[in-house]
Amino acid sequence: MNKTRTATEFFAGIGPIRYEGPQSKNPLAFKHYNPDESVEGRPMREHLRFSVVYWHTIRGTGSDMFGVGTWQRPWEVGNNSIELALNRARAMFEFCEKLGAPFYAFHDRDVAPEGKNLAETNRNLDKVIKELKKLQRDTGIGLLWGTACLFAHPRFMHGAATSCNADVFAYAAAQVKKALEVTHELDGAGYVFWGGREGYSTLLNTDMKRELDHLGAFLQMAVAHKRAIGFKGQFYIEPKPKEPTKHQYDSDAAACLNFLRQYNLLDHLKLNLETNHATLAGHTMQHDLEVAGAAGALGSIDANTGDLLLGWDTDQFPTDIYLTTQIMLTVLKYGGFTTGGTNFDAKCRRESFEPVDLFHAHVGGMDAFARGLKIAAAIRQDGRLAAFVKDRYGSWDSGLGQQIERGKVGFAELEQYALKMGEVKTNQSGRQEWLENLINEFI
Ligand code: XUL
Ligand code: CO
């Protein structure tokens, strides 16, 4: 640990964070996340694959629409130079190393400043990528996924791939091409497409079919470029229903899957699901995970939580054990993460302005997921929940149900069956209240 620290230490006096067990009163220790502890035959570190985000943790300022930033970030010295970008990279790796997070994630523009033109911007990016590569090598910390920021610059006011302006589509394509190349260079485990402004503010000025066709073509081009450069990482699409636009095309897991199917992309992209996006779509996170899992497309998660009394994307750190239990029940059910992981797309509150608050936030999130993982494993080990669900569908395991599932009967045979039966006499209780009590036995 910390073998790479040479010059400046940005989180002086903090870390490394260690597992001290549930009795510990040390706020900067894990009570439940014990990376080497085996759960269902796999160490927790490999189950959870925690990742820290560049945009909130290193680049966030704590500003909101009513006020400027409040966060103290010792690496933010001087203007937006390459020197500052390199400092931010070192701060990121110091943080991940002290926290014990094996991965990080970034947008291209988080890591290096835009230049006068695209060529200069690409050169800026290359300079910082070189340093990130070195930091990855020195620490063993890897890139969970890269992405391109296609929403902050004014050129993307109408969207990127779905812009009404073909020049913007071209610019976005060039930017994603480069972002894919640097993600490949850093051996990223994946690449995320979040449709930053791919949606509309009003249908009065929008040709929806044309925009969706363009988005499909854009992703086809990305798949082709991935193949051309030999990038083996997993592509993901990240659903979100609104914000910044009134309606985002990738609104939820089901909408994304339908879009991917329509444009022949289902074999090439899985889903990166974010809790607060699912709740903004009117779903639970577990709902969207189940939708993705059923389609074989559960890829990765952006771990955070919203405030259900507020209608926007508050990106809070997850601390709710029911939430993490539900998430891990579904993740384990579908075989766990392979290329994906638990990426904290979350930020401290504006009032939590000290660097140490970043540690409190991540330690809490990691412990909440560790508990969710252990509780989900215990529920699975106990077996009563799974046995109940299996039994509930027992009528499909033999006889008529089995014949229906195997496509052996049609409406005519079923009519004969129903006429003979007279009335259904075999319904059983759904036992929701008992099942809720059962979950509480483990929490
Ligand atoms: C926005 C969001 C993004 C994506 C990456 O709500 O979640 O940060 O995760 O572009
Ligand atoms: Co996200």
Side-chain angles (χ1 to χ4, degrees):
M1 277 288 179
N2 291 331
K3 34 188 190 312
T4 57
R5 297 285 71 77
T6 44
T8 324
E9 196 179 0
F10 297 109
F11 300 95
I14 306 177
I17 309 296
R18 305 222 187 273
Y19 172 71
E20 293 184 3
Q23 304 312 321
S24 170
K25 296 280 181 274
N26 176 2
L28 293 180
F30 296 118
K31 320 290 185 301
H32 302 277
Y33 177 60
N34 184 4
D36 298 318
E37 187 178 324
S38 178
V39 177
E40 296 196 0
R42 193 182 180 195
M44 287 178 115
R45 137 181 331 104
E46 286 176 28
H47 269 290
L48 294 165
R49 293 167 60 84
F50 287 122
S51 165
V52 175
V53 304
Y54 227 99
W55 52 101
H56 291 310
T57 298
I58 298 300
R59 299 300 312 278
T61 63
S63 66
D64 64 17
M65 56 283 228
F66 297 99
V68 297
T70 57
W71 294 341
Q72 294 170 358
R73 298 293 182 253
W75 52 90
E76 291 294 319
V77 182
N79 53 22
N80 211 10
S81 63
I82 296 292
E83 216 21 70
L84 174 52
L86 296 174
N87 256 352
R88 288 169 177 154
R90 290 166 200 139
M92 176 53 132
F93 277 76
E94 182 188 333
F95 183 76
C96 288
E97 221 184 0
K98 288 184 165 179
L99 183 66
F103 293 102
Y104 72 114
F106 65 63
H107 301 85
D108 49 3
R109 301 299 172 256
D110 300 332
V111 298
E114 293 225 11
K116 291 193 297 294
N117 51 42
L118 186 60
E120 188 180 286
T121 302
N122 286 348
R123 282 196 297 277
N124 288 349
L125 189 55
D126 285 334
K127 286 179 197 153
V128 185
I129 295 301
K130 208 168 142 205
E131 178 69 8
L132 289 172
K133 199 170 176 179
K134 179 177 173 305
L135 288 162
Q136 286 188 193
R137 205 171 38 230
D138 289 349
T139 60
I141 292 162
L143 180 62
L144 188 69
W145 48 261
T147 188
C149 177
L150 303 177
F151 45 90
H153 193 281
R155 75 176 69 89
F156 297 121
M157 63 174 74
H158 299 294
T162 65
S163 174
C164 46
N165 181 349
D167 282 353
V168 176
F169 184 104
Y171 199 103
Q175 199 177 320
V176 169
K177 176 177 179 292
K178 180 70 181 170
L180 283 172
E181 288 161 9
V182 302
T183 300
H184 183 36
E185 171 79 19
L186 294 175
D187 206 17
Y191 185 92
V192 164
F193 294 87
W194 168 58
R197 291 184 191 273
E198 314 293 28
Y200 61 80
S201 291
T202 172
L203 285 170
L204 289 174
N205 63 14
T206 302
D207 185 336
M208 189 192 279
K209 175 167 183 345
R210 215 163 178 185
E211 293 198 2
L212 287 170
D213 285 349
H214 296 165
L215 187 56
F218 191 90
L219 290 176
Q220 294 283 8
M221 290 180 203
V223 168
H225 192 62
K226 176 183 195 246
R227 195 174 293 127
I229 62 175
F231 176 50
K232 297 278 184 288
Q234 175 65 49
F235 272 5
Y236 308 102
I237 194 163
E238 180 177 322
K240 183 175 184 180
K242 54 188 159 191
E243 204 193 304
T245 66
K246 168 198 171 86
H247 174 80
Q248 305 267 135
Y249 293 132
D250 306 329
S251 52
D252 64 3
C256 285
L257 290 169
N258 183 57
F259 169 82
L260 293 174
R261 196 170 285 117
Q262 184 170 354
Y263 292 96
N264 291 321
L265 289 159
L266 213 43
D267 291 342
H268 303 288
L269 289 98
K270 290 187 174 174
L271 301 185
N272 178 43
L273 297 164
E274 177 164 328
T275 314
N276 205 172
H277 296 179
T279 49
L280 287 175
H283 305 308
T284 61
M285 176 64 161
Q286 195 179 17
H287 166 93
D288 259 18
L289 288 164
E290 286 286 339
V291 169
L298 202 176
S300 196
I301 64 171
D302 271 10
N304 65 15
T305 193
D307 183 324
L308 296 181
L309 299 184
L310 303 174
W312 63 92
D313 198 14
T314 59
D315 280 345
Q316 288 164 242
F317 277 84
T319 53
D320 179 346
I321 313 299
Y322 285 91
L323 170 69
T324 57
T325 299
Q326 289 167 353
I327 291 174
M328 292 318 297
L329 270 173
T330 299
V331 168
L332 290 176
K333 172 173 156 186
Y334 286 103
F337 295 127
T338 51
T339 53
T342 308
N343 180 52
F344 287 112
D345 192 353
K347 61 187 179 201
C348 289
R349 297 305 86 193
R350 190 167 182 266
E351 304 87 330
S352 308
F353 60 90
E354 294 179 358
V356 71
D357 290 308
L358 290 170
F359 280 92
H360 291 307
H362 284 83
V363 166
M366 289 161 83
D367 264 349
F369 266 89
R371 286 182 79 180
L373 170 64
K374 286 190 281 191
I375 293 165
I379 292 168
R380 283 156 58 85
Q381 166 78 27
D382 171 80
R384 278 176 292 163
L385 181 63
F388 180 85
V389 175
K390 179 154 181 24
D391 182 64
R392 187 162 183 250
Y393 293 87
S395 67
W396 296 89
D397 293 336
S398 60
L400 178 76
Q402 195 176 59
Q403 282 181 298
I404 298 172
E405 280 195 353
R406 291 181 176 173
K408 298 265 191 270
V409 291
F411 271 10
E413 292 83 355
L414 294 173
E415 184 189 42
Q416 285 308 308
Y417 183 92
L419 287 169
K420 203 161 140 220
M421 174 170 60
E423 187 47 82
V424 173
K425 302 179 197 77
T426 46
N427 269 329
Q428 294 170 359
S429 169
R431 298 265 188 270
Q432 179 172 335
E433 297 75 8
W434 172 67
L435 292 168
E436 286 165 351
N437 299 345
L438 177 70
I439 298 299
N440 275 359
E441 280 183 34
F442 294 87
I443 291 192

